[in-house]
Amino acid sequence: MMRILLFLLTNFSILLLISVTFRVFGIEQMLLSSGAGLDMNALLVFSCAFGFGGAFISLALSKWMAKRSMRVQIVKTPSTQQERWLLQTVERQAQRAGIGMPEVGIFPSDVVNAFATGMRRNNALVAVSSGLLRQMTPDEAEAVLAHEVAHVANGDMVTMGLLQGVLNTFVIFLSRVIGHVVDRVVFRNERGFGIGYFVVSIVAQIVLSILATIVVMWFSRWREFRADAGGANLAGRQKMIAALQRLQQNQAEDLPGELAAFGINGGRPTGLRALFMSHPPLEDRIAALQKPGAL
């Protein structure tokens, strides 16, 4: 969903910004330079601090960015019966899941959509679209809320941050090693860091970040099955299946571009596109819930 895209874009932007800044001011060269060679120990420490720092800054900003980008209106004092139902449902599910009451919000969109985000299980945000509240039955909406509460209870965003931190570390480390080797072998630079190192390491970082995204998306697809199972436990298996079947009625091409790219509401991706899907096909998720003993 949107939370995955925001997290990945924020993480990538932070990495790129810090990387360029460190190079412009010579900080990276000062940290990593050891004569004419590359200090691998310093590089590993630098990569780890840089990689995990970028991931957790992204995680810390995820709730704020989600509110602003999706124009979420937080429901503090309900003014309608629907808002009261929304707060009461999330509160009941949060208690059953053993987490603190999340902030609850509604964002303007005709697309049937919802998301949960936040750095901590006890200080999360659960938001639904106005289109979801109009188009789904109360049972279906309850299941969607349960799915999002399950994401929070499972600590999925923190786990995502840890995974992204590990991948960032490898991306930064390997891109610098590649840049160093090309600078020495191809450009035959024998002292310090030449232009070949900076250009090649930036290009390598972008390419490796794309490959790392494939790993993140695989994890995202796997955790959707867990959230479906958690939602079924909180709201009921049939309600969860009915909610997913309702999503099947919304074709992916009707979604905004940034959401359609991840195939939120159905469709079976093929080829390379399947590697970048944040959610499994809806028919696979429904089939997983319909298996005997699935929960």
Side-chain angles (χ1 to χ4, degrees):
M1 288 185 178
M2 177 59 76
R3 62 179 181 275
I4 304 296
L5 179 62
L6 290 173
F7 178 81
L8 291 174
L9 287 178
T10 304
N11 178 79
F12 179 79
S13 300
I14 289 171
L15 284 183
L16 195 58
L17 176 62
I18 297 178
S19 179
V20 172
T21 302
F22 273 30
R23 290 175 189 189
V24 168
F25 290 98
I27 300 174
E28 181 173 327
Q29 184 169 349
M30 179 182 66
L31 291 173
L32 305 183
S33 180
S34 178
L38 191 67
D39 188 335
M40 301 299 282
N41 291 327
L43 176 58
L44 185 58
V45 172
F46 169 80
S47 301
C48 188
F50 191 175
F52 277 93
F56 280 96
I57 289 173
S58 304
L59 182 59
L61 292 174
S62 63
K63 187 174 172 181
W64 176 81
M65 285 196 64
K67 287 180 179 179
R68 288 184 64 86
S69 64
M70 300 298 291
R71 294 181 293 152
V72 177
Q73 297 296 317
I74 300 299
V75 180
K76 294 182 179 179
T77 303
S79 58
T80 66
Q81 180 61 37
Q82 187 177 65
E83 290 181 354
R84 281 190 288 274
W85 175 86
L86 191 61
L87 283 177
Q88 291 169 358
T89 301
V90 173
E91 182 178 21
R92 183 176 67 252
Q93 293 174 348
Q95 289 175 349
R96 286 193 58 194
I99 62 173
M101 176 65 180
E103 286 187 281
V104 180
I106 301 172
F107 58 94
S109 174
D110 292 331
V111 177
V112 177
N113 196 13
F115 67 87
T117 192
M119 192 169 184
R120 295 188 290 116
R121 295 169 74 248
N122 293 325
N123 186 28
L125 166 68
V126 173
V128 298
S129 68
S130 54
L132 181 146
L133 294 175
R134 287 195 305 269
Q135 298 178 47
M136 279 192 158
T137 67
D139 283 352
E140 292 165 351
E142 179 186 354
V144 171
L145 290 170
H147 173 95
E148 301 305 334
V149 168
H151 272 306
V152 177
N154 291 340
D156 282 341
M157 289 303 291
V158 174
T159 307
M160 177 73 77
L162 290 171
L163 174 62
Q164 190 69 64
V166 171
L167 292 172
N168 286 350
T169 299
F170 279 102
V171 166
I172 295 166
F173 184 85
L174 291 176
S175 64
R176 270 58 175 182
V177 170
I178 292 170
H180 178 74
V181 170
V182 172
D183 195 40
R184 292 293 186 268
V185 175
V186 178
F187 292 91
R188 300 187 182 280
N189 179 43
E190 297 180 356
R191 297 187 61 186
F193 295 97
I195 187 65
Y197 169 81
F198 295 111
V199 173
V200 173
S201 59
I202 281 288
V203 173
Q205 181 173 316
I206 293 172
V207 173
L208 291 171
S209 294
I210 294 172
L211 295 177
T213 299
I214 294 176
V215 178
V216 174
M217 289 305 175
W218 170 84
F219 172 74
S220 178
R221 291 192 295 272
W222 174 76
R223 74 182 193 153
E224 285 305 310
F225 289 112
R226 290 183 64 221
D228 286 341
N233 282 324
L234 290 173
R237 185 197 300 240
Q238 291 307 314
K239 291 181 182 180
M240 193 73 246
I241 292 174
L244 294 177
Q245 289 173 336
R246 173 74 67 174
L247 290 176
Q248 283 185 308
Q249 299 174 12
N250 294 273
Q251 298 300 314
E253 57 265 28
D254 293 333
L255 300 177
E258 69 274 13
L259 300 179
F262 292 104
I264 291 173
N265 287 349
R268 181 178 291 277
T270 58
L272 289 176
R273 184 169 176 262
L275 297 176
F276 294 93
M277 300 293 290
S278 66
H279 288 56
L282 286 166
E283 55 265 34
D284 291 354
R285 295 167 64 182
I286 293 170
L289 289 172
Q290 290 175 332
K291 289 180 181 178
L295 303 182

